[in-house]
Amino acid sequence: MTPAFDLRSAAGWFRLIALAEAVSWVGLLVGMYFKYLGTPRTEIGVKVFGMTHGLIFIAFVVAGLLVGVAYRWAVRTWLLALLASIVPLCSVIFLIWADRTGRMGSAGAISAVAQPGRGAPETT
């Protein structure tokens, strides 16, 4: 069994980026609270987490495209992944769903399919 965040595979990178995307959403939401409602009001949280979340959002979409190609996702799965990148904290929910429904591959096939330079395991 491979670790969930095995960075030798596209699925491992996708898991890591999905978690980072959710954490950056929380930071952005907290920053927005202090910008509009908090005492003292400050924009520093939005400036820091806005840029951070924007970069991680782009990484999530790119990683989703790479994993979708590697695991031959259906159009519905692609759309759910893109929707999950927009709704706060939904990237983790999508990740859990994709793992449970086998859309991220099985534990043994993850590293073999997603690693460059390695062919898919042969089955008979």
Side-chain angles (χ1 to χ4, degrees):
M1 183 173 193
T2 60
F5 298 109
D6 182 12
L7 299 183
R8 294 174 292 171
S9 68
W13 275 103
F14 184 69
R15 287 180 183 97
L16 182 66
I17 293 169
L19 180 63
E21 203 260 347
V23 170
S24 71
W25 252 122
V26 170
L28 184 58
L29 291 173
V30 169
M32 288 175 17
Y33 170 80
F34 280 107
K35 179 178 180 179
Y36 296 111
L37 302 172
T39 303
R41 291 190 179 185
T42 178
E43 292 186 18
I44 191 70
V46 173
K47 288 181 181 179
V48 170
F49 285 104
M51 173 66 92
T52 303
H53 177 70
L55 293 173
I56 295 173
F57 167 80
I58 292 169
F60 180 83
V61 171
V62 169
L65 292 172
L66 294 174
V67 171
V69 168
Y71 292 104
R72 296 183 182 100
W73 283 351
V75 174
R76 177 178 174 254
T77 307
W78 289 88
L79 292 175
L80 287 174
L82 290 176
L83 180 63
S85 68
I86 297 169
V87 179
L89 306 176
C90 200
S91 61
V92 173
I93 295 169
F94 173 80
L95 185 61
I96 292 168
W97 173 79
D99 276 334
R100 288 186 179 172
T101 58
R103 285 171 173 80
M104 299 288 282
S106 65
I110 288 174
S111 59
V113 172
Q115 280 188 357
R118 288 190 137 181
E122 293 185 25
T123 58
T124 56

